[in-house]
Amino acid sequence: MATSSPSTSAQPIDALIVGAGFAGMYMLHKLRGLGFNPQVVEAGSGVGGTWYWNRYPGARVDIQSLEYSFGFDEELEKEWRWSERYAPQPELLKYAEHVAERFDLKRDIRFNTRVTAAHWDDAAQVWNVTTDDGAAMRCRHLILATGCLSIPTDVTFPGLETFKGAVYRTSRWPHEGVDFSGQRVGIIGTGSSAIQSIPIIAQQAEHLTVFQRTPNYSMPAHNGPIPDADFEAWSKDPRGYRAASRDTVGGFQNEASEAMATQTAPAEIRAELERRWAWGGFRILGAFADTAVDPEANRIVQEFIAEKIRQQVADPAVAEKLTPKDHPFGTKRPCVDTGYYATFNRPNVELVDLREEPLTGFTPEGIKTSAKGYAFDAVVLATGFDAMTGAIDRIDLVGRGERRIKDHWAEGPRTYLGLMVAGFPNLFTITGPGSPSVLTNMINSIEQHVEWIADCLVSLKQRQQTSIEASEEAEAAWCRHSTEAVTPTMLPQANSWYMGANVPGKPRMFMPYAGGLNTYTEICRQVVGKGYEGFIIRQGDRVLSESRAFTSQPAPGEIPENLLPIIVGRLMAAGLMPAE
Ligand code: NA7
């Protein structure tokens, strides 16, 4: 519970941070250490964000825990030892609690409180913030650490309210847990949350029916204790290890190869894919440099995974249904599982393909499809999130000149660097849309953003500047650069939540920045080096510095040379590069 309340006094809070997940916790700690007086508002009753809410059975991280943990404090790093390669949710939550305890964070966090509105007062150069308990606060800087996957979609089904059994959402799981023993359970969805929970629920329930609309690619985690050799390699030089992780496209070590699948002999391809499959998790993503950009290269990996599914699933018809066909590999976030496909060999597990028999609604007894009715004691909705923008645009955010975020983002989220939005001074978004965020190891992206924002606030304070704001020009240039970064890839080809495609009516736009965390970090560094290029900095109503253009570009040579012709071809075809 809260041990203090954010200020309601005339003196504005230095920085109000929304959210006490990993981003909000580090932001709070970082700013405190720099002499600011930040405060946090959090909707949940505890810290941990994603790991506070997503308590479904089997929930665990899909990036190795040695990399998915804070690197900002050497003592913290030394005193924590993860029990498994991919830590389970209870351990991640324990880690979040440990961090909160260790840095005495809770005294500045107000729990059980949701920010509902924030309006910019240009005359006072402050944000006026309202919360769902009716409190009003004023802050100089408003920092949204609201998470990319924190608001479940509003998916509902006809007759759901008539269902007599229990309904659970994976993202709002009861804290006391659920015992499905002896129950007939239905689960809707086959994204990461479902793929992690299905094997565990299947072991407990009398019968489990999986309602699948779209199959996903899933790789085995091969989870277990962290091998001693891995731990030793890491503990010899954690700093160096983390620096190497950050200097990658995805913010984690993936043995990214520059070899092209289309130029590699079939036997070598097979050996390489087998080696990476045996290693587990996302390692297969780095097998070949052309997987993400060349349909032919992508098909090679697709076929390999299809074969792996057939090897794991005894019934060929079920294996066929579980095999993705509508999107290239990697264009939706692939899943990392423990025993998912083999679960369909159990006599108490049934797969219903909603493409063959669409779900028509609920009855008091269970779920009805166009083919038949299914009776359940409990149903689990693993139906996903209003990703990247959901938690931001649910706040009534009003910037300079009455600009509303909902209107500004009517055609998709526009930001500068995924950090700031034109017309919204002193509003920062940690891992906001337009930044690498969900395409990366989130912890490394969070640390990079927190440190960038903290440096920015220090710079403003030292110069007695009262506001910073992205210019319209820089925002437009960043959106264009983001489009250029993703266009050569096949990422926009899937109906993914990256594209906003899982929420009816949401504008289709590829939301994360696809240029890689290493490139992005360098761009952010250059922007600062050029005196906060693309930002307008003011003291009251006086403009002190105004460099409106965004000119920083990734250093040449970061794209493997053999990919350049493909990338250039795609940019030309999309009209983003003049044809020669
Ligand atoms: P996802 O990956 O968005 O998965 C949601 C699943 O729910 C997906 O299989 C959807 O099928 C399905 N879905 C959504 N609405 C419906 C309806 N109306 N009917 C049937 N099926 C539906 O969310 P997760 O929580 O699993 O994972 C999110 C991220 O968290 C994940 O990528 C990791 O990064 C961690 P669809 O594909 O839309 O056909």
Side-chain angles (χ1 to χ4, degrees):
M1 294 298 289
T3 48
S4 73
S5 299
S7 162
T8 49
S9 66
Q11 192 61 27
I13 303 161
D14 289 341
L16 185 69
I17 301 160
V18 187
F22 283 2
M25 287 198 293
Y26 180 34
M27 192 79 247
L28 171 60
H29 172 67
K30 182 79 189 167
L31 288 180
R32 261 193 202 162
L34 292 166
F36 291 93
N37 199 4
Q39 300 201 10
V40 179
V41 174
E42 162 60 49
S45 60
V47 296
T50 288
W51 306 111
Y52 169 89
W53 296 102
N54 289 273
R55 298 173 189 237
Y56 59 83
R60 64 177 69 244
V61 64
D62 58 9
I63 301 273
Q64 290 206 89
S65 294
L66 284 179
E67 296 184 84
Y68 188 91
S69 46
F70 283 128
F72 66 80
D73 187 282
E74 284 188 44
E75 291 306 311
L76 169 66
E77 203 164 52
K78 273 190 219 141
E79 72 202 10
W80 190 267
R81 174 107 196 225
W82 295 103
S83 67
E84 297 175 36
R85 278 175 83 187
Y86 300 94
Q89 174 272 335
E91 192 173 352
L92 285 150
L93 190 55
K94 217 166 119 194
Y95 177 72
E97 284 287 345
H98 171 73
V99 172
E101 195 70 30
R102 190 181 203 294
F103 299 109
D104 189 21
L105 299 181
K106 288 191 183 176
R107 70 183 154 88
D108 283 323
I109 305 175
R110 178 169 168 174
F111 291 107
N112 302 307
T113 309
R114 192 174 279 280
V115 168
T116 51
H119 294 196
W120 174 249
D121 177 340
D122 210 25
Q125 299 270 288
V126 295
W127 283 98
N128 289 315
V129 177
T130 314
T131 55
D132 59 357
D133 58 1
M137 285 164 264
R138 297 166 78 236
C139 61
R140 188 69 67 198
H141 299 280
L142 181 61
I143 304 175
L144 301 183
T146 40
C148 296
L149 295 160
S150 42
I151 302 290
T153 53
D154 300 332
V155 173
T156 186
F157 300 90
L160 179 59
E161 68 292 347
T162 67
F163 177 53
K164 287 186 300 201
V167 177
Y168 304 101
R169 268 186 196 278
T170 45
S171 54
R172 295 290 179 269
W173 205 256
H175 288 200
E176 62 281 11
V178 181
D179 182 1
F180 290 113
S181 303
Q183 295 193 10
R184 297 158 305 164
V185 182
I187 181 164
I188 301 177
T190 47
S192 184
S193 303
I195 282 177
Q196 290 188 332
S197 54
I198 283 167
I200 313 283
I201 298 175
Q203 285 165 22
Q204 237 181 40
E206 183 187 301
H207 192 271
L208 175 66
T209 309
V210 177
F211 292 90
Q212 168 189 274
R213 192 164 63 182
T214 315
N216 265 304
Y217 296 95
S218 188
M219 289 88 70
H222 299 312
N223 196 25
I226 298 170
D228 286 343
D230 288 9
F231 187 74
E232 275 159 28
W234 176 85
S235 50
K236 261 187 214 142
D237 180 18
R239 309 280 93 202
Y241 192 97
R242 288 190 194 282
S245 298
R246 285 181 192 162
D247 189 20
T248 59
V249 168
F252 63 100
Q253 297 187 29
N254 201 20
E255 274 193 45
S257 163
E258 293 200 357
M260 310 275 273
T262 50
Q263 295 167 13
T264 307
E268 269 179 62
I269 293 179
R270 154 77 45 182
E272 186 59 9
L273 293 176
E274 288 287 3
R275 188 179 72 79
R276 287 173 184 258
W277 187 265
W279 202 92
F282 289 148
R283 190 133 297 199
I284 201 165
L285 280 164
F288 296 102
D290 48 356
T291 310
V293 294
D294 184 341
E296 195 45 49
N298 194 283
R299 208 162 297 126
I300 292 170
V301 185
Q302 288 176 42
E303 280 163 14
F304 176 81
I305 297 179
E307 189 187 318
K308 289 292 176 197
I309 296 172
R310 288 196 292 275
Q311 284 169 6
Q312 293 173 84
V313 181
D315 181 338
V318 176
E320 184 63 14
K321 285 180 189 170
L322 288 167
T323 303
K325 297 182 189 73
D326 78 327
H327 62 282
F329 171 67
T331 55
K332 283 185 171 185
R333 187 172 171 117
C335 305
V336 177
D337 72 272
T338 298
Y340 175 63
Y341 292 115
T343 298
F344 291 91
N345 299 332
R346 293 176 67 100
N348 69 332
V349 176
E350 176 184 9
L351 178 68
V352 175
D353 184 345
L354 296 177
R355 305 271 176 198
E356 283 175 6
E357 45 173 307
L359 199 160
T360 52
F362 276 70
T363 64
E365 286 68 43
I367 290 177
K368 227 172 42 185
T369 67
S370 59
K372 60 188 256 208
Y374 297 83
F376 297 119
D377 302 302
V379 167
V380 176
L381 302 180
T383 43
F385 299 88
D386 184 353
M388 309 213 62
T389 54
I392 300 175
D393 67 16
R394 269 172 184 70
I395 300 172
D396 175 32
L397 274 173
V398 183
R400 186 191 300 285
E402 297 297 304
R403 176 174 287 187
R404 285 175 190 273
I405 201 86
K406 274 266 188 205
D407 299 335
H408 190 61
W409 286 2
E411 287 167 22
R414 288 156 53 199
T415 68
Y416 181 36
L417 302 169
L419 273 163
M420 298 201 83
V421 184
F424 294 81
N426 292 2
L427 174 78
F428 298 88
T429 51
I430 302 182
T431 63
S435 73
S437 59
V438 291
L439 296 178
T440 70
N441 172 358
M442 284 299 282
I443 301 277
N444 279 337
S445 282
I446 284 170
E447 290 195 332
Q448 187 257 336
H449 264 193
V450 165
E451 287 156 17
W452 192 96
I453 293 167
D455 288 347
C456 176
L457 263 53
V458 167
S459 167
L460 293 175
K461 193 175 176 182
Q462 282 172 347
R463 293 168 179 77
Q464 294 171 336
Q465 298 160 337
T466 53
S467 78
I468 180 164
E469 177 182 351
S471 77
E472 305 279 353
E473 293 87 337
E475 185 178 88
W478 181 249
C479 290
R480 185 183 156 84
H481 173 64
S482 296
T483 306
E484 284 166 357
V486 77
T487 299
T489 76
M490 288 182 284
L491 283 163
Q493 290 179 18
N495 286 324
S496 65
W497 54 256
Y498 297 145
M499 289 291 292
N502 64 330
V503 177
K506 190 164 172 170
R508 298 282 172 109
M509 173 179 165
F510 193 82
M511 295 183 283
Y513 173 67
L517 180 63
N518 45 2
T519 301
Y520 173 82
T521 303
E522 173 58 19
I523 292 171
C524 290
R525 206 187 54 75
Q526 284 183 28
V527 161
V528 175
K530 292 178 190 167
Y532 287 94
E533 162 178 280
F535 289 100
I536 303 159
I537 296 174
R538 293 185 170 89
Q539 196 174 59
D541 55 7
R542 202 157 60 89
V543 173
L544 298 181
S545 135
E546 182 176 28
S547 88
R548 290 179 170 266
F550 162 69
T551 62
S552 304
Q553 290 294 332
E558 284 179 2
I559 299 167
E561 219 169 271
N562 44 9
L563 280 188
L564 274 174
I566 302 177
I567 291 174
V568 168
R570 282 180 176 255
L571 287 172
M572 279 180 185
L576 290 166
M577 199 178 223
E580 286 171 34

